[in-house]
């Protein structure tokens, strides 16, 4: 502690006094002295200094804390607190387009083309409904270098009545169709050895028109909770202007039930076809050609699933009766399908073997080729087996693919081949080499199929597929009118909310046909003819004026290629159709 000089003097005086006092005790004599205080003592506290060192803690205070275990005894406490309800944030929904129940379409184009469709549907109550469909497509023809009338006409009317109830749903259909075609495909050298006047007289004597009429009645019944799952029934009466007629009845009940977690399905089939042609092409003086076949079939199958495998194992047993020749046959066909997910939905391997007895009919043949002569021989096609394998899946979320290879063995495969000129036919308008017959052959077909589909966005979609086939015939020289290559591609896109467009391109490879006309007034080199391959390019564009009204334009055969789909049957060139579609409700 620091002291001042006056302080040191005072301390010295004090020390002196104490010394004298101690000596006085020893001498036991105390004297008197006089002390003069020069300045009074004033104490002063100096500044304090902080301790900079960190203090050391006791070991006891620095010891590790022990864990304390405890439990809470809970009991309910009455509370009057009520939390406020949360309010969901509103999400802006896209306005759903109204679905109209009815529509009408009308269109006109060059070649005197007219199209029309009308579909109406009305609910009678909560379960029952009625509806109708009218369709018409006609053209005045006008194909270049065609000597005979080439117009066509196709009109159909269908009526329906149905009911959707809790336990069962059913519907009935009644239809009528009228079709007019012309055998306009005269050989290119027709009447080449005649004079111009004789040619005109001969052509004018031919009336190539053929008319087909179809009356149909059918129905479907589906049960929600029953072993009898569904039943399909259909009856068709088909006739033509040449006096031919055909009746077809088809019934297919389906039974389904589960056995040990496997679905068991059984199809029962009754298929009848019978008809007659008034004349034989080679000899019109013979009796009418009659035919009739009745097939009874049962096809059980069951499905097994385990991990990534799916197996569908079954068989078909068919008993076929030839009603005209009193000849019966029994057939057994495989019905096997398997699939395996190699890489989820990205790659699925599938394979199988199937067979069937195909009931051929005059109506089915006309739907494929309307230029047939009404003098056909009829029999069923025995597809002994179709063995196939392939891969399908997705390359990306928007791109899917499918590749498949198959080998088919068929007996009595139906083929279309041109008719020869027949002088025994007299004045029959289809007997100038301008119609087709059906011939049968035992064939084996090796085919490869590939398909690619892409949805680039909700506004653009694209697809392409192709089939490549190789045929082996046992009796015929060629697989008549069957192309080895077929490719089809389509593109659809929405330009704006109002405008849309699309395009379709297909390619058909070369085909073979056969025709001999040695009995006619001209001579054609006998032997197979090769029909050239062709491209057909089509496009369409549309404008949605409103939710109800849409205008459209279609262009067909844009390349204006007058290719022959059948021998001596060129098609119309560049075609344009303008039309409108109107949707409405009652």
């Amino acid at each position: 502690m620091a002291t001042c000089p006056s302080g040191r003097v005072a301390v010295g005086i004090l020390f002196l006094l104490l010394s004298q006092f101690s000596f006085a005790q020893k001498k036991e004599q105390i004297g008197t002295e006089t002390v003069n205080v020069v300045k009074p003592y004033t104490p002063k506290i100096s500044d304090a200094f902080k301790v900079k060192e960190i203090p050391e803690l006791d070991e006891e205070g620095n010891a590790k804390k022990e864990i304390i275990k405890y439990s809470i005894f809970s009991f309910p406490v009455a509370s009057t607190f009520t939390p406020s309800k949360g309010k969901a944030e509103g999400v802006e929904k896209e306005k759903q387009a109204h679905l109209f129940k009815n529509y009408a379409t009308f269109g006109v184009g060059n070649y005197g083309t007219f199209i029309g469709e009308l579909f109406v549907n009305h609910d009678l109550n909560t379960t029952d409904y009625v509806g109708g469909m009218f369709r018409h497509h006609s053209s005045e023809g006008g194909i270049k270098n065609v000597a005979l009338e080439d117009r066509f006409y196709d009109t159909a009317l269908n009526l329906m009545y149905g009911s959707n109830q809790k336990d069962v749903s059913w519907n009935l259909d009644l239809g009528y169709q009228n079709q007019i075609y012309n055998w306009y495909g005269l050989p290119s050298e027709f009447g080449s050895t005649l004079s111009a006047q004789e040619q005109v007289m001969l052509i004018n004597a031919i009336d190539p028109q053929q008319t087909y009429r179809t009356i149909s009645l059918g129905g479907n019944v589906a049960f929600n909770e029953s072993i009898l799952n569904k039943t399909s029934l259909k009856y068709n009466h088909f006739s033509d202007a040449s006096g031919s007629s055909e009746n077809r009845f088809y019934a297919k009940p389906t039974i389904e039930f589960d056995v040990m977690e496997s679905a068991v399905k059984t199809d029962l089939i009754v298929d009848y076809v019978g008809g007659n042609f008034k004349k034989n092409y080679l000899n019109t003086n013979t009796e009418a050609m009659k035919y009739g076949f009745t097939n009874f079939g049962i096809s059980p199958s069951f499905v097994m699933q385990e991990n990534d495998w799916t197996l569908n194992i079954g068989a078909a047993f068919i008993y076929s009766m030839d009603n005209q020749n009193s000849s019966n046959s029994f057939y057994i066909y495989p019905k096997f399908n398997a699939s395996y997910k190699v890489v989820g939905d990205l790659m699925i391997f599938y394979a199988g073997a199937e067979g069937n007895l195909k009931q051929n009919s005059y109506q089915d043949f006309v739907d494929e080729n309307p230029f047939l002569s009404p003098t056909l021989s009829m029999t069923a096609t025995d597809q002994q087996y179709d063995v196939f394998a392939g891969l399908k899946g997705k390359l990306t979320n928007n791109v899917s693919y499918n590749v498949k290879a198959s080998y088919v063995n068929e007996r009595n495969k139906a083929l279309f081949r041109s008719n020869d000129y027949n002088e025994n036919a007299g004045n029959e308008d289809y007997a100038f080499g301008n119609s087709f017959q059906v011939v049968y052959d035992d064939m084996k077909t090796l085919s490869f199929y590939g398909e690619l589909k892409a949805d680039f966005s909700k506004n653009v979609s694209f697809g392409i597929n192709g089939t490549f086939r190789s045929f082996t015939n046992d009796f015929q020289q060629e697989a008549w009118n069957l192309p080895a290559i077929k490719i089809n591609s389509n593109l659809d896109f929405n330009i704006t909310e109002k405008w849309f467009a699309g395009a379709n391109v297909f390619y058909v490879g070369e085909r073979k046909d056969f025709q001999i006309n040695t009995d006619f007034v001209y001579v054609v080199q006998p032997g197979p003819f090769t029909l050239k391959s062709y491209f057909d390019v089509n496009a369409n564009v549309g404008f949605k004026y409103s939710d109800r009204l849409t205008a459209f334009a279609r262009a067909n055969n844009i390349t204006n290629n007058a290719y022959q789909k059948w021998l001596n049957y060129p098609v119309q060139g560049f075609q344009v159709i303008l039309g409108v579609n109107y949707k409405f409700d009652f």
Side-chain angles (χ1 to χ4, degrees):
M1 182 180 294
T3 59
C4 63
S6 59
R8 286 195 296 270
V9 174
V11 172
I13 296 172
L14 182 59
F15 178 76
L16 182 60
L17 291 175
L18 292 175
S19 300
Q20 294 294 328
F21 177 76
S22 60
F23 289 140
Q25 283 182 336
K26 290 180 179 179
K27 296 179 176 181
E28 296 180 359
Q29 292 178 357
I30 300 175
T32 59
E33 292 183 5
T34 301
V35 179
N36 293 325
V37 178
V38 180
K39 187 178 178 181
Y41 173 71
T42 304
K44 185 178 180 181
I45 302 175
S46 64
D47 295 333
F49 295 94
K50 295 181 180 178
V51 179
K52 296 182 179 180
E53 292 81 0
I54 297 175
E56 295 182 1
L57 300 178
D58 300 341
E59 293 182 359
E60 183 179 353
N62 198 23
K64 184 179 179 180
K65 296 182 180 180
E66 296 183 359
I67 299 176
I68 301 175
K69 295 183 180 181
Y70 60 90
S71 61
I72 299 175
F73 177 71
S74 62
F75 57 90
V77 177
S79 175
T80 58
F81 172 74
T82 303
S84 60
K85 295 182 179 179
K87 184 178 180 181
E89 184 68 22
V91 178
E92 185 177 352
K93 295 182 180 180
E94 183 179 353
K95 184 179 180 181
Q96 187 174 3
H98 177 71
L99 299 178
F100 296 94
K101 293 185 177 181
N102 316 288
Y103 74 87
T105 301
F106 170 81
V108 294
N110 59 338
Y111 293 99
T113 301
F114 176 80
I115 61 172
E117 286 187 13
L118 175 64
F119 176 80
V120 294
N121 186 50
H122 179 65
D123 294 330
L124 299 177
N125 49 50
T126 56
T127 59
D128 299 352
Y129 62 92
V130 293
M133 179 74 176
F134 172 80
R135 294 182 295 105
H136 176 82
H137 184 197
S138 63
S139 174
E140 293 302 319
I143 303 175
K144 292 182 180 180
N145 302 322
V146 171
L148 298 177
E149 179 65 59
D150 60 339
R151 71 187 183 97
F152 69 87
Y153 176 99
D154 188 353
T155 300
L157 176 65
N158 292 277
L159 303 175
M160 69 186 85
Y161 182 92
S163 179
N164 297 317
Q165 300 181 11
K166 181 180 180 181
D167 298 327
V168 61
S169 298
W170 57 272
N171 65 74
L172 292 174
D173 299 314
L174 176 63
Y176 175 77
Q177 185 176 15
N178 185 37
Q179 300 169 282
I180 297 176
Y181 292 93
N182 286 275
W183 293 296
Y184 66 85
L186 289 175
S188 58
E189 298 184 10
F190 181 80
S192 60
T193 61
L194 303 177
S195 66
Q197 184 178 3
E198 289 175 332
Q199 288 184 27
V200 171
M201 292 179 60
L202 181 59
I203 290 174
N204 289 338
I206 301 175
D207 180 10
Q209 180 173 303
Q210 173 68 297
T211 302
Y212 302 107
R213 302 179 183 88
T214 305
I215 300 174
S216 60
L217 176 64
N220 296 279
V221 181
F223 299 93
N224 295 331
E225 296 183 3
S226 175
I227 294 180
L228 181 60
N229 183 266
K230 59 183 178 180
T231 300
S232 300
L233 301 169
K234 190 160 189 179
Y235 167 77
N236 288 337
H237 176 73
F238 185 74
S239 61
D240 62 22
S242 303
S244 310
S245 66
E246 180 183 78
N247 294 303
R248 178 83 180 269
F249 175 77
Y250 182 83
K252 184 181 177 181
T254 300
I255 299 173
E256 289 188 9
F257 54 90
D258 294 334
V259 175
M260 299 179 63
E261 300 182 355
S262 296
V264 178
K265 176 182 176 182
T266 302
D267 292 329
L268 305 176
I269 301 170
V270 178
D271 190 352
Y272 165 80
V273 63
N276 67 85
F277 299 105
K278 280 195 169 183
K279 298 178 180 180
N280 185 308
Y281 189 83
L282 297 177
N283 188 353
T284 59
N285 295 323
T286 59
E287 297 181 357
M289 300 174 60
K290 297 182 179 181
Y291 60 93
F293 301 92
T294 305
N295 297 336
F296 298 96
I298 180 171
S299 178
S301 64
F302 67 94
V303 178
M304 298 176 59
Q305 291 182 335
E306 184 175 352
N307 298 328
D308 295 330
W309 280 98
T310 300
L311 299 176
N312 191 333
I313 304 174
F317 306 90
I318 298 177
Y319 183 73
S320 179
M321 298 188 301
D322 185 344
N323 302 329
Q324 292 297 320
N325 299 316
S326 300
S327 174
N328 305 328
S329 301
F330 182 73
Y331 303 89
I332 301 177
Y333 299 103
K335 296 287 184 181
F336 171 79
N337 286 278
S339 65
Y340 175 70
K341 293 182 178 181
V342 181
V343 187
D345 292 333
L346 300 179
M347 181 182 292
I348 301 174
F349 170 78
Y350 64 93
E354 297 180 350
N356 191 27
L357 183 65
K358 182 181 179 182
Q359 188 82 286
N360 294 315
S361 69
Y362 185 29
Q363 181 182 3
D364 291 340
F365 287 150
V366 168
D367 288 342
E368 190 172 354
N369 183 351
F371 308 112
L372 298 174
S373 65
T375 57
L376 306 181
S377 61
M378 304 297 296
T379 189
T381 297
D382 176 15
Q383 187 183 89
Q384 294 184 317
Y385 54 82
D386 177 5
V387 180
F388 59 89
L391 288 173
K392 61 182 179 179
K394 294 182 178 181
L395 298 177
T396 66
N397 289 333
N398 300 325
V399 180
S400 62
Y401 67 92
N402 184 15
V403 291
K404 174 183 176 182
S406 65
Y407 184 77
V408 183
N409 185 14
E410 296 172 289
R411 291 183 178 178
N412 294 324
K413 168 74 173 179
L415 302 171
F416 297 116
R417 204 191 81 175
S418 293
N419 277 318
D420 305 323
Y421 168 70
N422 183 13
E423 62 181 2
N424 296 325
N427 296 324
E428 297 298 337
D429 301 303
Y430 53 80
F432 296 91
N434 58 333
S435 64
F436 294 84
Q437 60 179 309
V438 175
V439 297
Y440 298 91
D441 196 4
D442 294 346
M443 287 180 54
K444 297 177 179 63
T445 304
L446 176 64
S447 65
F448 297 93
Y449 173 81
E451 181 182 33
L452 187 69
K453 292 182 179 180
D455 294 326
F456 298 110
S457 68
K458 66 178 182 179
N459 294 323
V460 181
S461 63
F462 170 79
I464 185 171
N465 63 76
T467 303
F468 308 87
R469 298 182 293 185
S470 174
F471 307 102
T472 302
N473 301 78
D474 288 350
F475 306 111
Q476 301 291 328
Q477 290 178 260
E478 301 285 347
W480 307 120
N481 283 293
L482 291 181
I485 302 175
K486 292 180 70 175
I487 300 175
N488 182 58
S489 179
N490 64 278
L491 175 66
D492 295 294
F493 54 94
N494 296 323
I495 304 173
T496 65
E497 292 184 358
K498 295 289 186 179
W499 289 91
F500 62 91
N504 177 266
V505 180
F506 60 88
Y507 170 82
V508 177
E510 293 181 348
R511 289 93 60 221
K512 299 286 187 178
D513 205 337
F514 189 88
Q515 190 176 53
I516 300 176
N517 293 285
T518 55
D519 295 332
F520 199 41
V521 292
Y522 66 92
V523 178
V524 174
Q525 182 67 31
F529 292 87
T530 299
L531 280 74
K532 293 182 180 180
S533 60
Y534 61 87
F535 275 100
D536 198 328
V537 182
N538 310 295
N540 67 86
V541 63
F543 175 72
K544 296 180 181 179
Y545 180 78
S546 65
D547 291 341
R548 295 178 178 268
L549 184 62
T550 301
F552 63 87
R554 299 174 186 170
N556 298 329
N557 196 5
I558 295 176
T559 58
N560 197 28
N561 182 13
Y563 59 84
Q564 295 185 20
K565 184 175 181 180
W566 306 101
L567 181 63
N568 302 321
Y569 277 86
V571 301
Q572 294 176 339
F574 178 64
Q575 308 156 42
V576 176
I577 299 175
L578 303 177
V580 294
N581 175 272
Y582 182 73
K583 303 174 185 178
F584 60 95
D585 288 328
F586 290 120

